[in-house]
Amino acid sequence: MTSHRTAQTMKPATAAKKLGVYLPATPAEFQEGVVSRAEFDALQADPPQWLRDLRREGPHPRPVVAARLGVSIAGLARGGVTEALTTEQIDALRGDPPEWLERERATQAEVRREAARIREKNAARADEGQARRPRR
């Protein structure tokens, strides 16, 4: 008995998120259809010009903007950035950072230091637990 395998598809929003692009800036045919796994793989392997342009120039979705500025998505919102930004706008913020960006970068650095401290503490506990166990 053979089973029919249906092609995996994803919504345009999911595909745009996985590709790291802002959905409203993509071509209409991308926004209106579904994206099969094969089409998605082809977009990643050999991106069309529109995808290369969006990745290079934007507008970029908030996760990409946050990563490029070195802050969290919540930090962007606290700073009043709620819309997608272009590469040019991101570069302008990096070149002359406003007070909120400096504050959010410091907060993000502290969060990273605390996460590293906790990882080290947990690793030390795990090593200590291994040393206490009797060997068989």
Side-chain angles (χ1 to χ4, degrees), residues 22 24 59-63 65-66 69 71-86 89 93 100:
Y22 186 55
H60 303 287
R62 287 180 303 151
V65 173
L69 291 175
V71 299
S72 66
I73 295 173
L76 283 179
R78 286 189 293 269
V81 178
T82 57
E83 297 297 319
L85 298 180
T86 64
Q89 291 169 315
L93 284 172
W100 70 264

Side-chain angles (χ1 to χ4, degrees), residues 5-11 34-41:
R5 295 195 77 187
T6 58
Q8 288 183 328
T9 60
M10 61 185 89
K11 294 177 183 176
V34 294
V35 181
S36 71
R37 174 58 67 184
E39 291 168 334
F40 179 79
D41 291 343

Side-chain angles (χ1 to χ4, degrees), residues 35-63:
V35 181
S36 71
R37 174 58 67 184
E39 291 168 334
F40 179 79
D41 291 343
L43 286 170
Q44 284 188 308
D46 185 24
Q49 188 62 45
W50 65 264
L51 181 55
R52 288 193 300 268
D53 291 344
L54 275 178
R55 285 178 169 167
R56 185 178 54 252
E57 299 164 11
H60 303 287
R62 287 180 303 151

